[in-house]
Amino acid sequence: MTDGPVATLDEIRSYFNGKADAYDDVDAQPYWVLSDELLWSALTEYVLPRLPEDFRFLDAGGGTGRWSHRFATARPDATGVLYDLTPAMFGHARAKAERYGYADRLACREGDLGRVGEELAGEGFDLIFNFHNVLGFVDSPTDVIKQLAGLLNPGGLLVSFVPSRWHAAWFNLTLGQTAEAGRNLEGRGRFTDTMPDMHLFTPEQLRAMNEDAGLRVDLTTGFPVLLYPGYQETQISGSTRSLAELLGDRAAFDEVFALERGLLGTADAVGRGNNLFVLASRPAR
Ligand SMILES: C[S@@+](CC[C@H](N)C(=O)[O-])C[C@H]1O[C@@H](n2cnc3c(N)ncnc32)[C@H](O)[C@@H]1O
């Protein structure tokens, strides 16, 4: 079990305050483009068809609103709340919502996910998602999953996309950091020495956390499984040369995407995923 504080809220806020203005540069890194296209493809296949008309979403730890933006622009009937600890991050989400004309459908709220249950008490959501390391930074992922589950409407969906222990250990070993890899296998660690520590997860742990929160786990998968990021991809800009060369070629990108896409729902490949994707639902009454 990995519950327990990894860093103070001030440390996390200060880390993301420093990243906020350049954060969306990740959209130009070929590896993360691949990962994001796979994530959107999984959402399009497994999540969007299950949502009602006029659905309401909560983007937990939504940052600069990269994923709120996708949902709000793909589904003009949707309304949502982006909830995040770091004002400089969600300031960009607000600006994006104004620029693209959905500010009336997306509220940006400042808050700690450790208190999200009480902060948003009385609100109900058809979809709650936390993408890219959000659960890694909270004191107790188990408790946050429980609080988020309590905010779901009956039949509502909770989607988590979180860092894998096995991937982190592999990554740190490629940098010669054996002690750090050992910590990763125990569920703690980081990818660079400038970032706060994070919780790291396994598929089985995620299944248990969601079930303990009273949710049914509908799908556990992980991706990308065939290509992993290098050190450059832990920075907000720059690319590992081999990844840039391969994925910078449109035809090769499409081929890699097709290979990865073919493995998306394959249970055998889950543990090889860089990030782990879990879709859980609250039973309908
Ligand atoms: C790596 S970013 C991911 C942002 C976004 N989900 C995405 O995929 O682009 C992690 C975000 O989690 C937020 N965060 C970290 N700890 C949090 C907490 N305890 N409560 C609310 N947000 C938190 C940070 O402020 C940051 O914006």
Side-chain angles (χ1 to χ4, degrees):
M1 183 40 68
T2 62
D3 280 350
V6 282
T8 67
L9 292 183
D10 280 347
E11 285 167 341
I12 294 168
R13 204 185 281 110
S14 147
Y15 175 73
F16 283 105
N17 264 326
K19 294 259 168 205
D21 287 348
Y23 193 81
D24 285 357
D25 290 356
V26 295
D27 293 342
Q29 290 179 298
Y31 183 84
W32 294 116
V33 174
L34 174 71
S35 174
D36 283 354
E37 287 315 306
L38 287 165
L39 178 52
W40 186 243
S41 172
L43 295 168
T44 305
E45 176 166 349
Y46 301 116
V47 174
L48 283 171
R50 292 177 62 181
L51 295 170
E53 278 295 302
D54 300 327
F55 71 89
R56 191 162 160 67
F57 68 82
L58 171 61
D59 185 354
T64 58
R66 296 167 62 244
W67 295 96
S68 283
H69 180 77
R70 290 237 189 187
F71 281 105
T73 51
R75 286 286 297 263
D77 58 318
T79 53
V81 175
L82 183 152
Y83 184 91
D84 198 285
L85 187 67
T86 312
M89 292 289 278
F90 65 76
H92 286 281
R94 261 191 195 133
K96 226 176 269 174
E98 295 284 350
R99 194 173 340 126
Y100 289 92
Y102 56 83
D104 56 332
R105 295 188 287 116
L106 182 72
C108 293
R109 299 260 309 251
E110 178 174 0
D112 169 19
L113 281 165
R115 298 166 44 87
V116 69
E118 53 189 289
E119 295 278 340
L120 300 186
E123 303 208 30
F125 298 94
D126 304 299
L127 168 68
I128 300 180
F129 52 93
N130 59 88
F131 292 165
H132 286 294
N133 298 352
V134 173
L135 276 188
F137 290 116
V138 302
D139 285 356
S140 167
T142 305
D143 179 57
V144 169
I145 291 275
K146 276 195 183 121
Q147 293 190 47
L148 294 176
L151 294 169
L152 283 175
N153 291 331
L157 306 177
L158 175 60
V159 189
S160 305
F161 191 55
V162 300
S164 152
R165 282 185 200 184
W166 322 129
H167 169 71
W170 170 86
F171 177 85
N172 278 301
L173 286 181
T174 64
L175 299 177
Q177 296 170 169
T178 49
E180 180 62 19
R183 293 179 69 234
N184 300 157
L185 296 184
E186 286 167 11
R188 287 288 171 96
R190 51 194 188 163
F191 296 102
T192 70
D193 54 12
T194 54
M195 69 187 296
D197 247 6
M198 288 188 301
H199 300 287
L200 301 164
F201 300 89
T202 70
E204 168 57 22
Q205 179 193 11
L206 290 164
R207 186 195 57 71
M209 276 166 38
N210 279 275
E211 288 182 357
D212 286 353
L215 302 178
R216 188 184 73 189
V217 174
D218 298 325
L219 176 70
T220 305
T221 185
F223 51 85
V225 296
L226 304 173
L227 273 185
Y228 287 166
Y231 183 77
Q232 284 299 322
E233 282 71 27
T234 66
Q235 307 299 302
I236 267 165
S237 58
S239 267
T240 302
R241 192 162 160 194
S242 56
L243 290 173
E245 282 174 3
L246 177 65
L247 298 174
D249 177 85
R250 186 69 228 184
F253 181 99
D254 290 346
E255 281 178 59
V256 174
F257 179 84
L259 293 174
E260 288 278 356
R261 186 66 190 78
L263 291 170
L264 202 69
T266 305
D268 269 2
V270 173
R272 236 194 111 80
N274 169 7
N275 281 294
L276 303 171
F277 174 101
V278 180
L279 166 61
S281 54
R282 178 172 166 184
R285 269 196 288 266

